[in-house]
Amino acid sequence: MTPSAPAPHVDVATPERVALSLPVAGIGYRCLAWLVDASLLFFFWVALYFVITLLVSDVLGAFQALSGLTQTLLAVGLFATQWLYWTLAEVFFHGQTPGKRVLRIRVVREDGSPVGFFESAVRNLCRAVDFLPVLYATGCITMLLDSRHRRLGDMLAGTVLVREEAIDLDKYTQAPAVDAPDAGAHRPLDTEDVELVLAFLSRAPGLEPEVRRRLGARLVDRVGASLTDEERARVLQSPEATEAFLRTRAKAVH
């Protein structure tokens, strides 16, 4: 049995320097999200039509009585309203329309960065082409042929739809909880002490464990002279506790 091809994905580098691999949204997710958004637009136009009928008894007759230019402008306005719905939603809600939010998918650039106004405007202008000849036939064919399930608008705008996954970044961004003594009761550090502490903290991760422990202990003795024996023991119980105390002492200067 031949192994199946890997599922398409987009690699994203977060500000926390964590590499994420987000799966690309397939045609099924996209169609369901479109149905949700299309339903919202449909109910909006139905509600608007109902309001207009309260003001104009014969809506169709009034439309036919308009000039050809006015009718054309109304048709363009109808498309522009829908274009604004898709575009503004994706820009202000970080790549998501209500339908995409329900299906937990999101529009991003091909490098995984957030989509901007230009990309969203281009991909949504191309809906007129993707819709041809009817019901997004061109767009569906393009998505089936493309390895990342992109329609023509995505190809021109350089965007792709990805599925959201619940990823806990806390373990990458939060330092271990440390019960360090309060640094506020100690005398403020002078410039030389602050520079020593900051230099040590910047180099500590690359030091040998024993060297890291010994230098940390010396700095604790220098900047934490008022510590009790019990407090000093707590500070020196681990490199994390030691460096948390030193970091707090250095920040207390500002």
Side-chain angles (χ1 to χ4, degrees), residues 187-199 222 250 253-254:
R187 65 170 178 81
L189 301 184
D190 56 30
T191 303
E192 181 182 358
D193 287 340
V194 172
E195 290 178 352
L196 281 174
V197 170
L198 295 179
R222 176 167 180 153
V253 175
H254 304 291

Side-chain angles (χ1 to χ4, degrees), residues 131-223:
F131 192 83
L132 297 174
V134 68
L135 295 178
Y136 279 93
T138 300
C140 289
I141 292 173
T142 306
M143 285 187 282
L144 290 172
L145 295 177
D146 183 70
S147 61
R148 286 187 163 186
H149 307 302
R150 296 173 298 173
R151 58 181 178 83
L152 181 61
D154 290 312
M155 294 179 181
L156 293 178
T159 57
V160 63
L161 262 74
V162 298
R163 301 201 315 269
E164 290 186 332
E165 292 185 339
I167 300 174
D168 183 13
L169 295 180
D170 288 347
K171 61 181 179 181
Y172 300 105
T173 59
Q174 293 181 349
V178 176
D179 184 17
D182 182 14
H186 300 276
R187 65 170 178 81
L189 301 184
D190 56 30
T191 303
E192 181 182 358
D193 287 340
V194 172
E195 290 178 352
L196 281 174
V197 170
L198 295 179
F200 168 74
L201 292 174
S202 65
R203 293 174 173 80
L207 298 176
E208 293 293 330
E210 180 58 28
V211 175
R212 183 177 182 178
R213 184 197 64 77
R214 187 170 64 252
L215 290 177
R218 289 182 180 178
L219 281 175
V220 168
D221 291 338
R222 176 167 180 153
V223 303

Side-chain angles (χ1 to χ4, degrees), residues 17-132:
R17 298 182 180 180
V18 179
L20 304 179
S21 183
L22 301 178
V24 171
I27 187 173
Y29 283 91
R30 300 183 63 139
C31 288
L32 290 174
W34 178 84
L35 285 174
V36 173
D37 287 317
S39 298
L40 291 176
L41 286 170
F42 173 77
F43 287 118
F44 167 77
W45 290 118
V46 169
L48 181 61
Y49 178 81
F50 176 75
V51 172
I52 293 175
T53 57
L54 297 178
L55 304 175
V56 181
S57 58
D58 185 8
V59 177
L60 181 58
F63 178 78
Q64 292 175 341
L66 298 174
S67 64
L69 176 60
T70 304
Q71 291 179 3
T72 301
L73 291 176
L74 285 175
V76 172
L78 176 66
F79 174 78
T81 301
Q82 298 189 83
W83 173 77
L84 284 173
Y85 168 83
W86 302 95
T87 302
L88 296 181
E90 290 176 355
V91 171
F92 288 105
F93 297 104
H94 310 291
Q96 288 185 314
T97 60
K100 293 182 179 68
R101 183 178 293 272
V102 170
L103 271 296
R104 299 181 61 83
I105 62 178
R106 185 185 301 273
V107 181
V108 297
R109 294 190 179 106
E110 290 183 333
D111 61 357
S113 59
V115 69
F117 178 81
F118 174 77
E119 293 86 5
S120 182
V122 170
R123 72 184 302 273
N124 287 304
L125 277 175
C126 291
R127 287 184 182 276
V129 179
D130 287 316
F131 192 83
L132 297 174

